[in-house]
Amino acid sequence: METEMNRDKIKSIAIMTGGGDCPGLNAVIRAVAKTAINKYALEVWGIEDGYLGLIEDRMHVLGYNDVSNILTLGGTILGSCNKANPCEYPMTVNGDTRVRDVSNNCVRTLKKHGVDALFCIGGDGTRASAALFAGNGAKVMGVPKTIGNDLYGTDITFGFDTAVTTATEAIDKIHTTAGSHHRVMIIEVMGRYAGWIALHAGVASGSDVILLPEMPYELDKICETVVGRSQRGRRFSIIVVAEGAKEKGGDMVVAKRIDDSPDPIRLGGIANLLVDKIAKATNLDCRAVVLGHIQRGGTPTPFDRALATSFGFTAVELLMNGTVNHLVVKKAGKLSSLPLSEVAGKIKTVPGDHELIQAAIAVGTGFGV
Ligand code: F6P
């Protein structure tokens, strides 16, 4: 961390949104740009399509009007990309494709446009690359984004509340049709290797079974819960399953590999796998629903708009007051920051003794264990 104030050194900043998109990205862009322009009279650049824009030198100046009226907009006005990894970028020269580290080129692009500091609004992959950039002499500030809330070092990421709201509303709708048809409905939600969305949306929707990556399930236990409900006259059941959930002794279900992505594994398919197994074991009518990318879309909730605004503002304040190469975090209700080098490459999973798990068990929810 630099100890001197950055106020005399920083005249121009750039903003980038990397990785999978997430509700609240525009709210952060707006907060960073407006704070930079209003409070510090900085020049602000927007980098297009995440690291790809930096690699290909695609960036433009953002004026005040460009970031006005975007607070409630889903997606990102800058575009994003969850493939381009500057540290392992496939380049084709004379028909020969080789993976190269182009992070130096990215730092050169920033220098060419006179940018003094880069704001990386991103998840795991974006953060890991940002930490390497920082090692290459760039000044970087990170803002934690992801619907999955799985970023290490912060209690909360913006986008999570919106994703949980979307998933809960969808499960509420599935609840009524499950009741009419006396069915077992298995709803798959996102979240990669962590079960935060499944746990929160599962509890909020009063689901009967919640399956988390952190608690490998036993098929018999899931069936016991739904058959038990059926025998007690509760003729339908709702099962929420995280895309990273797996059977005890088994593996996560991989939907596909995207080799040029910082995290090449795309999980998905567990609900469709479970639907046949549960139907066969219980003789009940079962259906699978995969919520998918609707969890990443739409307008951010008021909570996420406020969180994104405070993250963006804090990132600029920290930078202008001498902090560089840090990630803004929220711990125990307080905003602060941690070195990118300390948080890069680490994820935050649901602890087995989490209070929501205990509450869910107390109200009769099963976890398949
Ligand atoms: O990392 C966020 C996330 O939404 C995951 O939960 C999901 O598996 C993945 O992104 C999907 O990525 P893509 O945009 O490549 O479909």
mmCIF file of all heavy atoms in Angstrom, residues 322-340:
data_model
loop_
_atom_site.group_PDB
_atom_site.id
_atom_site.type_symbol
_atom_site.label_atom_id
_atom_site.label_comp_id
_atom_site.label_asym_id
_atom_site.label_seq_id
_atom_site.Cartn_x
_atom_site.Cartn_y
_atom_site.Cartn_z
ATOM 1 N N GLY A 322 -4.479 7.304 -1.146
ATOM 2 C CA GLY A 322 -3.183 6.618 -1.081
ATOM 3 C C GLY A 322 -3.205 5.098 -1.124
ATOM 4 O O GLY A 322 -2.155 4.475 -1.103
ATOM 5 N N THR A 323 -4.389 4.483 -1.181
ATOM 6 C CA THR A 323 -4.435 3.013 -1.231
ATOM 7 C C THR A 323 -4.436 2.559 -2.683
ATOM 8 O O THR A 323 -5.226 3.062 -3.482
ATOM 9 C CB THR A 323 -5.715 2.498 -0.548
ATOM 10 O OG1 THR A 323 -5.709 2.961 0.798
ATOM 11 C CG2 THR A 323 -5.784 0.985 -0.566
ATOM 12 N N VAL A 324 -3.567 1.621 -3.030
ATOM 13 C CA VAL A 324 -3.617 1.044 -4.381
ATOM 14 C C VAL A 324 -3.503 -0.476 -4.304
ATOM 15 O O VAL A 324 -3.017 -1.029 -3.325
ATOM 16 C CB VAL A 324 -2.522 1.586 -5.338
ATOM 17 C CG1 VAL A 324 -2.734 3.047 -5.643
ATOM 18 C CG2 VAL A 324 -1.136 1.319 -4.804
ATOM 19 N N ASN A 325 -3.944 -1.105 -5.394
ATOM 20 C CA ASN A 325 -3.879 -2.560 -5.525
ATOM 21 C C ASN A 325 -4.637 -3.265 -4.403
ATOM 22 O O ASN A 325 -4.177 -4.273 -3.867
ATOM 23 C CB ASN A 325 -2.422 -3.032 -5.594
ATOM 24 C CG ASN A 325 -1.690 -2.332 -6.714
ATOM 25 O OD1 ASN A 325 -2.310 -1.900 -7.683
ATOM 26 N ND2 ASN A 325 -0.390 -2.191 -6.582
ATOM 27 N N HIS A 326 -5.765 -2.687 -4.058
ATOM 28 C CA HIS A 326 -6.632 -3.273 -3.028
ATOM 29 C C HIS A 326 -8.006 -3.591 -3.611
ATOM 30 O O HIS A 326 -8.419 -3.038 -4.626
ATOM 31 C CB HIS A 326 -6.823 -2.281 -1.870
ATOM 32 C CG HIS A 326 -5.808 -2.427 -0.787
ATOM 33 N ND1 HIS A 326 -6.124 -2.337 0.550
ATOM 34 C CD2 HIS A 326 -4.468 -2.663 -0.842
ATOM 35 C CE1 HIS A 326 -5.030 -2.506 1.266
ATOM 36 N NE2 HIS A 326 -4.013 -2.700 0.451
ATOM 37 N N LEU A 327 -8.721 -4.474 -2.913
ATOM 38 C CA LEU A 327 -10.116 -4.786 -3.224
ATOM 39 C C LEU A 327 -10.991 -4.165 -2.133
ATOM 40 O O LEU A 327 -10.703 -4.331 -0.947
ATOM 41 C CB LEU A 327 -10.315 -6.304 -3.222
ATOM 42 C CG LEU A 327 -11.746 -6.786 -3.451
ATOM 43 C CD1 LEU A 327 -12.090 -6.727 -4.941
ATOM 44 C CD2 LEU A 327 -11.940 -8.207 -2.926
ATOM 45 N N VAL A 328 -12.030 -3.442 -2.543
ATOM 46 C CA VAL A 328 -12.980 -2.914 -1.555
ATOM 47 C C VAL A 328 -13.771 -4.096 -1.005
ATOM 48 O O VAL A 328 -14.200 -4.970 -1.767
ATOM 49 C CB VAL A 328 -13.952 -1.907 -2.212
ATOM 50 C CG1 VAL A 328 -14.931 -1.355 -1.182
ATOM 51 C CG2 VAL A 328 -13.189 -0.779 -2.867
ATOM 52 N N VAL A 329 -13.948 -4.140 0.307
ATOM 53 C CA VAL A 329 -14.715 -5.250 0.907
ATOM 54 C C VAL A 329 -15.693 -4.705 1.944
ATOM 55 O O VAL A 329 -15.555 -3.572 2.396
ATOM 56 C CB VAL A 329 -13.781 -6.294 1.594
ATOM 57 C CG1 VAL A 329 -12.864 -6.944 0.594
ATOM 58 C CG2 VAL A 329 -12.987 -5.680 2.745
ATOM 59 N N LYS A 330 -16.666 -5.528 2.298
ATOM 60 C CA LYS A 330 -17.560 -5.178 3.399
ATOM 61 C C LYS A 330 -17.504 -6.322 4.405
ATOM 62 O O LYS A 330 -17.832 -7.462 4.082
ATOM 63 C CB LYS A 330 -18.984 -4.953 2.891
ATOM 64 C CG LYS A 330 -19.856 -4.285 3.928
ATOM 65 C CD LYS A 330 -21.046 -3.594 3.314
ATOM 66 C CE LYS A 330 -21.716 -2.731 4.379
ATOM 67 N NZ LYS A 330 -22.863 -2.002 3.869
ATOM 68 N N LYS A 331 -17.029 -5.995 5.599
ATOM 69 C CA LYS A 331 -16.909 -7.016 6.651
ATOM 70 C C LYS A 331 -17.656 -6.514 7.881
ATOM 71 O O LYS A 331 -17.443 -5.376 8.308
ATOM 72 C CB LYS A 331 -15.443 -7.215 7.055
ATOM 73 C CG LYS A 331 -14.567 -7.886 6.015
ATOM 74 C CD LYS A 331 -14.861 -9.325 5.804
ATOM 75 C CE LYS A 331 -14.103 -10.294 6.648
ATOM 76 N NZ LYS A 331 -14.518 -11.695 6.387
ATOM 77 N N ALA A 332 -18.502 -7.358 8.442
ATOM 78 C CA ALA A 332 -19.275 -7.021 9.641
ATOM 79 C C ALA A 332 -19.930 -5.642 9.507
ATOM 80 O O ALA A 332 -19.900 -4.823 10.429
ATOM 81 C CB ALA A 332 -18.381 -7.094 10.887
ATOM 82 N N GLY A 333 -20.467 -5.369 8.330
ATOM 83 C CA GLY A 333 -21.213 -4.127 8.106
ATOM 84 C C GLY A 333 -20.348 -2.915 7.799
ATOM 85 O O GLY A 333 -20.868 -1.816 7.568
ATOM 86 N N LYS A 334 -19.030 -3.082 7.787
ATOM 87 C CA LYS A 334 -18.146 -1.930 7.572
ATOM 88 C C LYS A 334 -17.372 -2.060 6.262
ATOM 89 O O LYS A 334 -16.839 -3.121 5.950
ATOM 90 C CB LYS A 334 -17.125 -1.835 8.713
ATOM 91 C CG LYS A 334 -17.688 -1.309 10.002
ATOM 92 C CD LYS A 334 -16.595 -0.526 10.767
ATOM 93 C CE LYS A 334 -17.176 0.428 11.780
ATOM 94 N NZ LYS A 334 -17.890 -0.212 12.868
ATOM 95 N N LEU A 335 -17.272 -0.948 5.536
ATOM 96 C CA LEU A 335 -16.495 -0.939 4.289
ATOM 97 C C LEU A 335 -15.023 -0.754 4.604
ATOM 98 O O LEU A 335 -14.656 0.080 5.436
ATOM 99 C CB LEU A 335 -16.971 0.216 3.392
ATOM 100 C CG LEU A 335 -18.321 -0.024 2.711
ATOM 101 C CD1 LEU A 335 -18.953 1.302 2.322
ATOM 102 C CD2 LEU A 335 -18.153 -0.921 1.499
ATOM 103 N N SER A 336 -14.171 -1.532 3.943
ATOM 104 C CA SER A 336 -12.718 -1.373 4.092
ATOM 105 C C SER A 336 -12.088 -1.978 2.841
ATOM 106 O O SER A 336 -12.770 -2.117 1.814
ATOM 107 C CB SER A 336 -12.220 -2.081 5.357
ATOM 108 O OG SER A 336 -12.503 -3.459 5.270
ATOM 109 N N SER A 337 -10.814 -2.349 2.889
ATOM 110 C CA SER A 337 -10.196 -2.953 1.705
ATOM 111 C C SER A 337 -9.124 -3.951 2.123
ATOM 112 O O SER A 337 -8.616 -3.905 3.243
ATOM 113 C CB SER A 337 -9.593 -1.855 0.809
ATOM 114 O OG SER A 337 -8.450 -1.303 1.433
ATOM 115 N N LEU A 338 -8.791 -4.835 1.176
ATOM 116 C CA LEU A 338 -7.745 -5.835 1.408
ATOM 117 C C LEU A 338 -6.829 -5.860 0.194
ATOM 118 O O LEU A 338 -7.292 -5.606 -0.933
ATOM 119 C CB LEU A 338 -8.372 -7.230 1.560
ATOM 120 C CG LEU A 338 -9.121 -7.537 2.861
ATOM 121 C CD1 LEU A 338 -9.870 -8.859 2.739
ATOM 122 C CD2 LEU A 338 -8.147 -7.589 4.039
ATOM 123 N N PRO A 339 -5.530 -6.181 0.372
ATOM 124 C CA PRO A 339 -4.640 -6.246 -0.786
ATOM 125 C C PRO A 339 -5.134 -7.290 -1.797
ATOM 126 O O PRO A 339 -5.541 -8.386 -1.390
ATOM 127 C CB PRO A 339 -3.297 -6.677 -0.195
ATOM 128 C CG PRO A 339 -3.397 -6.404 1.258
ATOM 129 C CD PRO A 339 -4.843 -6.481 1.636
ATOM 130 N N LEU A 340 -5.081 -6.945 -3.086
ATOM 131 C CA LEU A 340 -5.510 -7.890 -4.126
ATOM 132 C C LEU A 340 -4.715 -9.190 -4.030
ATOM 133 O O LEU A 340 -5.238 -10.278 -4.245
ATOM 134 C CB LEU A 340 -5.313 -7.263 -5.507
ATOM 135 C CG LEU A 340 -6.400 -6.289 -5.961
ATOM 136 C CD1 LEU A 340 -5.921 -5.459 -7.140
ATOM 137 C CD2 LEU A 340 -7.673 -7.040 -6.320
#
